[in-house]
Amino acid sequence: MTTTLIPQLLDAGLSAIQLASGDGIQLRITHVALGDAGYTPNAGQSGLHHEVVRYPVADGRIVGPRQLHLTALADDSAEFWVREVGFILESGVCLAVWSDPNRALAYKQGGLELLLAYDLTLSGVPPDSVIVQSTGAGLNLHLAEELASLAGAQIASQLVDLQQDAQLAALHTGLEDLAARTMRRTTEHANQLTALADTNRRAALRLDQLANQQSSAHDRLLEIQVASAAAILDLQTHAVKGVMK
């Protein structure tokens, strides 16, 4: 899959084009530089903000007066998100830079061949002032498209895996929070049941005390009634004896 880029032409690159045009020379793009910094490029910068790797152009062709198609093969152990791309001239001057502060262009995985295929549009330069110098590797463009598509599919799969990992991590965290809340509620309920049982025990003891007090009062009342009855009988006995005399 070919990526169309409209990079920021740098002041250094424009100066090189002006000098070469005055001498009737075409400048050659020989390398593609990749970095992991995302930002909005400006003409005053001299290169990438954080270049990680640089690859020679493997193949390319002129598509239009100001449009080039070029490919490069990334097959080293570097691993990072590609967020900036620089196009390097034969002299080592960085001609133009593409970058975006919000998105990455691709993911470069170590040990995996990644075919870089770009349609490069240069605005504000004389037609045919810049060409591509390849290594002569002769990469088949049709094969390049297929390899790039496979790389894109693999990147998409990696993104899905990362998203699934993030979702699983979030689910695991949610389950841990739920378990913690459930444990707290269970502990609170257990404490409430313990307090209720203690209250019931104290109430039962109080009822026993009241029952004992009531029983004692009842026994005392019976004693008083018996004593009263005995006193009445005694009075009646004395009264009868007095009458008989």
Side-chain angles (χ1 to χ4, degrees):
M1 180 177 61
T2 300
T3 302
T4 300
L5 298 179
I6 303 177
Q8 170 67 55
L9 185 65
L10 303 186
D11 291 340
L14 183 59
S15 297
I17 291 175
Q18 290 174 345
L19 290 174
S21 297
D23 296 334
I25 300 174
Q26 291 177 312
L27 295 181
R28 296 180 177 86
I29 297 176
T30 60
H31 290 78
V32 177
L34 304 180
D36 58 5
Y39 53 91
T40 300
N42 65 84
Q45 66 189 78
S46 59
L48 300 185
H49 282 191
H50 187 240
E51 181 176 333
V52 179
V53 290
R54 183 177 294 194
Y55 304 107
V57 173
D59 202 356
R61 69 182 188 275
I62 297 176
V63 180
R66 296 178 178 85
Q67 188 172 13
L68 305 172
H69 178 82
L70 56 87
T71 57
L73 186 62
D75 57 356
D76 56 7
S77 60
E79 190 161 343
F80 60 99
W81 283 104
V82 179
R83 298 182 182 276
E84 54 178 344
V85 182
F87 300 94
I88 312 301
L89 297 174
E90 187 177 17
S91 62
V93 173
C94 186
L95 173 66
V97 168
W98 176 92
S99 185
D100 191 291
N102 300 317
R103 71 181 180 93
L105 192 62
Y107 184 76
K108 168 67 175 66
Q109 181 176 339
L112 177 68
E113 290 187 351
L114 175 64
L115 185 70
L116 309 173
Y118 300 124
D119 281 335
L120 178 62
T121 300
L122 298 174
S123 59
V125 299
D128 300 324
S129 59
V130 180
I131 60 175
V132 179
Q133 176 177 304
S134 70
T135 60
L139 292 178
N140 183 277
L141 294 180
H142 178 69
L143 178 60
E145 296 289 340
E146 293 182 355
L147 290 176
S149 297
L150 290 175
Q154 185 167 10
I155 291 170
S157 177
Q158 291 171 349
L159 289 175
V160 170
D161 291 341
L162 290 174
Q163 291 172 351
Q164 290 177 345
D165 290 343
Q167 291 173 353
L168 288 175
L171 179 60
H172 184 264
T173 301
L175 290 175
E176 287 182 342
D177 292 341
L178 178 60
R181 290 197 300 270
T182 302
M183 181 62 69
R184 287 195 298 269
R185 291 176 181 174
T186 301
T187 302
E188 291 173 356
H189 291 164
N191 292 336
Q192 291 173 355
L193 290 175
T194 300
L196 181 60
D198 186 62
T199 300
N200 289 338
R201 181 181 59 80
R202 290 197 299 270
L205 290 175
R206 181 58 179 166
L207 288 175
D208 288 342
Q209 292 174 354
L210 292 175
N212 291 333
Q213 291 175 359
Q214 186 176 8
S215 177
S216 298
H218 183 265
D219 292 343
R220 181 60 180 165
L221 180 60
L222 288 177
E223 291 176 357
I224 293 173
Q225 289 176 346
V226 170
S228 297
I232 292 171
L233 289 174
D234 187 56
L235 288 174
Q236 289 177 348
T237 301
H238 286 295
V240 170
K241 288 181 178 180
V243 171
M244 292 179 63
K245 290 180 179 181

